[in-house]
Amino acid sequence: MITMVNKAFYGTLALLFYAGGTVAAAAPQIELNDIRYPHSNEPIHANSHFSQQQLHQSLQKSGNPIDRPAAFDVELYQLDIAVDPHFGTISGTVTLDLKLAPGAEIIQLDAVDMAIGTVALDGTETAAFYDGEVLSVALASPAQGGELVQLAIDYEARQPQNLRITGPDATDPERMIAAYTYTQPLGSRYWFPCLDRPSDKALAEIRIEVPEGFNALSNGNMIERRRSITGEVFAYRMDQPVAPYLMSLAIGQYEIYNIGSYQGKPLYVWTPE
């Protein structure tokens, strides 16, 4: 497992971690189709099989995201995203493995000020409704309880609130360009669709594509590092469930130093160039 000591000080980010080996695996190219922006007051797909009135009633009851009833449990998050640290954009796909509660009719996820693309339930494109804060997907029929479903969402977050961007300015012309998330205790909903509450813990796998010359850190074991057409891909896996706010990104032009090992794991320091 990667253990990070994260200290931000006047735009400088230093990280200490140890990691296991990597494996070779191909990641799909990220494409966004059928983008819809928030506050349209229309379903994302016209073939919606649930009424806007039903959804508005549900959303009006939602209130604070922590208080909104959730008729499901997230078992696994899989993020396959591209991050541009220059402009602060995140785009790609989040796939969630969900266990439904008895009587579940609507899946509602927190997603603030995003562009939502194709939404697929168990591999089939499905209708969804998005009001700029909550993404809602209706099930064909009420759940019996215990069913496992997979929901995949193409999305883009442009300069999300909890993605911090640093770079050269008048006070420090040499400051490294970097981007990192800061979401405790709530805030992951600004950079990926999720059930944003500390009580809902899930496994996570995060694959990040960054431009040439940048490196990317996240939680868990590094399972992949490879070149891409436009930069480099880093992938990490958490084998213990974590709350969404603990899922994090740290992207920058780091120098990587091997300083030995700990309990058989190589020990590295990532530091600004």
Side-chain angles (χ1 to χ4, degrees), residues 49-268:
H49 58 279
F50 53 93
S51 70
Q52 291 187 39
Q53 181 180 3
Q54 288 175 307
L55 285 166
H56 280 303
Q57 290 173 347
S58 176
L59 292 170
Q60 287 169 1
K61 296 176 183 177
S62 65
N64 189 305
I66 297 179
D67 299 329
R68 188 182 68 244
F72 60 91
D73 179 52
V74 183
E75 304 272 295
L76 171 67
Y77 290 100
Q78 296 179 79
L79 280 81
D80 193 345
I81 57 176
V83 181
D84 188 331
H86 297 282
F87 299 102
T89 59
I90 300 174
S91 62
T93 303
V94 58
T95 302
L96 303 92
D97 290 356
L98 310 173
K99 180 182 287 187
L100 303 178
E105 296 183 280
I106 296 178
I107 298 168
Q108 291 185 313
L109 298 174
D110 303 296
V112 179
D113 292 334
M114 297 180 186
I116 302 296
T118 301
V119 179
L121 186 63
D122 288 333
T124 300
E125 186 173 349
T126 189
F129 182 90
Y130 181 49
D131 72 344
E133 293 185 358
V134 178
L135 177 67
S136 300
V137 176
L139 302 174
S141 60
Q144 296 298 311
E147 296 97 322
L148 297 175
V149 299
Q150 189 172 79
L151 184 65
I153 304 157
D154 292 346
Y155 76 100
E156 182 179 62
R158 298 180 178 178
Q159 298 182 344
Q161 176 177 314
N162 286 353
L163 181 70
R164 310 297 172 87
I165 304 297
T166 66
D169 61 20
T171 64
D172 187 356
E174 303 299 321
R175 180 182 291 133
M176 179 185 74
I177 297 173
Y180 59 95
T181 56
Y182 183 80
T183 58
Q184 186 174 1
L186 297 170
S188 291
R189 59 185 171 219
Y190 292 97
W191 70 275
F192 70 98
C194 61
L195 185 59
D196 195 11
R197 57 190 67 184
S199 61
D200 193 76
K201 299 179 181 180
L203 303 177
E205 185 172 313
I206 306 176
R207 180 170 281 104
I208 313 128
E209 183 174 13
V210 292
E212 181 73 30
F214 285 84
N215 300 315
L217 273 172
S218 189
N219 310 74
N221 293 315
M222 182 187 287
I223 59 172
E224 179 185 8
R225 180 179 179 180
R226 64 175 177 84
R227 296 295 299 273
S228 66
I229 295 175
T230 59
E232 196 161 2
V233 173
F234 297 79
Y236 299 86
R237 178 184 295 139
M238 278 293 298
D239 294 324
Q240 297 293 328
V242 295
Y245 80 83
L246 291 174
M247 297 169 61
S248 59
L249 302 176
I251 296 162
Q253 296 167 311
Y254 298 111
E255 293 282 359
I256 304 173
Y257 298 95
N258 186 333
I259 61 172
S261 63
Y262 176 73
Q263 295 183 351
K265 303 284 188 178
L267 185 64
Y268 298 95

